[in-house]
Amino acid sequence: MSRVSRRTLLTGGVGLAGLGVGAAAVGAGREMSAPQPEASTLPFYGRHQSGIVTPMQTHASYIGIDLLDKADHQALHGILRMWSQDAANLTQGKPGFSDTEPELATSPARLSMTVGLGPGAFTSAALAARRPSWLAPLPAFAIDRLQEQWGQTDLVVLVASDDPMSLAHAVRAVIAPVRRRTRLRWVQQGFHHGRNLFGQVDGTVQPADDRHDDLVWNDGAEQKWLAGGTSLVLRRIAMNMDTWEALDRRGRELSTGRTLDNGAPLTGVDEHDEPVFTATRGGVPVIPESSHIARAHRRSDREQFLRRPYSYDSPPDSGLIFATYQRDPLVQYVPVQQRLSDHDALNEWTTPIGSAVYAMLPGPKEYLGETLFA
Ligand code: HEM
């Protein structure tokens, strides 16, 4: 029985409108109280994969997987076809292939399953020439304390949903059927709230929607097969809660350059006010030059990327699963990361412990990876 019909029974036959959950509530993301199957599916087919510019779902798992035989491109082909079949069904609220728990598929709650390839996926002779030139480990940064356990994998699947049960069910469908041909390296589970664990409003500054075509999506100029795809930079950044909590509120705001109250820049009133980095008070910059936003703010038009920060919390290890999507990480992401590594007040409380880069596949007409294997 679906969540809709179960709720309908429990509430004595009150329809969707009576529950206050309609199409208008869907875009509201975390405000959505009871996701309804029909109203809350994201497309699986299309020019782009869902789950990238989609408004963030509340729960997400990034799954890092290695191929046992990297030279076997047919094995990769088979895995992508298998995942496509399951994702096409599960995202639409239908059971996956040989689904042992079909009841868990009925409330997708904006479920998306988004697949990407790491450098290792291009090891086979058949695919070697198809690796995008930027698909390689990021340069080493002085602030990095990278742990192998959160390192680069051959494949990544981002599974995200507003319903943690629907998410867990879909994660099984990713991992279980490929067990003989792959090794599961990590699952990074996160949640999205609008604030991170430091209490900061996080995710405010983003590329404008009408810039996605040139800042996020690949145009196929270097690798034709990747048109409509993008790149993912996935950094696991530990946040030291103990030392952050020892800092007073003013100190926290100065280190970030924004208020804790509503995320407004220290020169403004509302969250989306444009920060004025040149403003001074008594000869001192209102937004400190060493603050996170002063250091991270773009110095050129190309230094922009989509940030999708998910919090993770496994005390004493808490932090951000910091994911960014951009057409070219070397041109857009690396200059900003280098500047932050050189100096950023927040570095005192944050430590990158994982790093990986992926080519996120274009959206499918029939199945994921079809243009790569064409
Ligand atoms: C902005 C937190 C790591 C790039 C912000 C903001 C917060 C924040 C609170 C202000 C609100 C917003 O625009 O979202 C954090 C925390 C981090 C972290 C807690 C680590 C745990 C990074 C990293 C990068 C980055 C690694 C890139 C390499 C940016 C950019 C902005 C920003 C580009 C917008 C700056 C602007 O133009 O105003 N971050 N951040 N952040 N962050 Fe981070």
Side-chain angles (χ1 to χ4, degrees):
M1 191 185 297
S2 77
R3 198 156 166 173
V4 178
S5 50
R6 193 163 48 224
R7 274 194 79 110
T8 306
L9 285 177
L10 290 172
T11 53
V14 179
L16 288 189
L19 289 170
V21 179
V26 171
R30 68 180 190 279
E31 273 99 52
M32 189 170 57
S33 55
Q36 305 300 328
E38 295 84 351
S40 62
T41 57
L42 296 171
F44 173 68
Y45 300 103
R47 180 165 168 73
H48 310 300
Q49 291 195 79
S50 287
I52 296 172
V53 298
T54 308
M56 284 177 78
Q57 296 98 325
T58 39
H59 301 274
S61 288
Y62 281 92
I63 308 169
I65 292 177
D66 279 343
L67 297 163
L68 289 184
D69 183 356
K70 297 188 209 297
D72 182 359
H73 70 281
Q74 289 303 350
L76 175 60
H77 197 177
I79 289 168
L80 294 176
R81 275 189 175 275
M82 195 152 36
W83 280 344
S84 301
Q85 196 178 7
D86 273 337
N89 284 314
L90 289 171
T91 57
Q92 304 310 305
K94 298 178 199 148
F97 185 70
S98 68
D99 198 329
T100 53
E101 263 71 51
E103 291 81 3
L104 298 184
T106 55
S107 174
R110 302 198 303 134
L111 176 71
S112 57
M113 301 165 75
T114 315
V115 178
L117 307 179
F122 296 86
T123 308
S124 67
L127 299 183
R130 299 206 156 190
R131 183 177 62 80
S133 55
W134 44 257
L135 187 58
L138 294 183
F141 299 102
I143 50 170
D144 289 354
R145 300 289 178 269
L146 301 184
Q147 300 173 8
E148 174 61 20
Q149 59 169 318
W150 305 118
Q152 181 71 55
T153 58
D154 298 334
L155 308 173
V156 74
V157 185
L158 161 62
V159 184
S161 170
D162 292 321
D163 177 348
M165 181 59 95
S166 152
L167 176 95
H169 182 60
V171 167
R172 284 291 302 160
V174 171
I175 295 171
V178 301
R179 231 192 245 125
R180 277 187 305 112
R181 285 179 281 180
T182 63
R183 185 164 75 93
L184 176 64
R185 284 272 305 284
W186 41 252
V187 176
Q188 304 197 42
Q189 286 185 317
F191 49 93
H192 169 68
H193 172 277
R195 291 182 187 265
N196 60 39
L197 289 167
F198 280 174
Q200 302 161 318
V201 177
D202 199 349
T204 303
V205 174
Q206 300 284 10
D209 287 356
D210 65 4
R211 298 293 310 277
H212 289 168
D213 274 341
D214 70 320
L215 290 172
V216 179
W217 302 122
N218 189 287
D219 62 357
E222 192 210 8
Q223 292 289 351
K224 204 159 162 252
W225 69 267
L226 193 54
T230 183
S231 76
L232 161 65
V233 171
L234 189 65
R235 307 269 290 173
R236 188 176 180 89
I237 308 177
M239 300 181 6
N240 191 326
M241 302 302 294
D242 289 333
T243 54
W244 177 257
E245 285 163 8
L247 183 70
D248 65 17
R249 197 172 171 91
R250 188 68 191 147
R252 296 179 198 180
E253 294 185 332
L254 289 170
S255 69
T256 315
R258 288 180 175 268
T259 69
L260 284 164
D261 177 36
N262 66 353
L266 296 180
T267 50
V269 176
D270 295 319
E271 180 190 348
H272 290 282
D273 286 350
E274 215 28 68
V276 183
F277 294 107
T278 50
T280 56
R281 198 174 293 135
V284 179
V286 178
I287 299 175
E289 286 167 3
S290 61
S291 67
H292 181 64
I293 67 161
R295 297 294 296 168
H297 189 69
R298 63 177 179 275
R299 305 269 163 108
S300 76
D301 187 63
R302 292 320 292 175
E303 286 186 2
Q304 297 190 69
F305 37 83
L306 193 70
R307 285 180 296 133
R308 293 174 68 89
Y310 276 102
S311 294
Y312 73 88
D313 191 37
S314 318
D317 182 19
S318 304
L320 273 189
I321 302 166
F322 183 80
T324 72
Y325 294 87
Q326 54 280 302
R327 182 183 281 183
D328 185 332
L330 296 181
V331 173
Q332 294 164 258
Y333 179 89
V334 169
V336 179
Q337 179 65 86
Q338 184 61 57
R339 198 158 59 237
L340 294 178
S341 177
D342 293 343
H343 194 75
D344 170 10
L346 272 193
N347 288 345
E348 182 152 353
W349 304 279
T350 61
T351 312
I353 59 172
S355 186
V357 183
Y358 299 94
M360 303 307 282
L361 299 171
K365 277 204 186 85
E366 285 173 39
Y367 69 94
L368 290 162
E370 62 205 1
T371 53
L372 177 62
F373 288 96

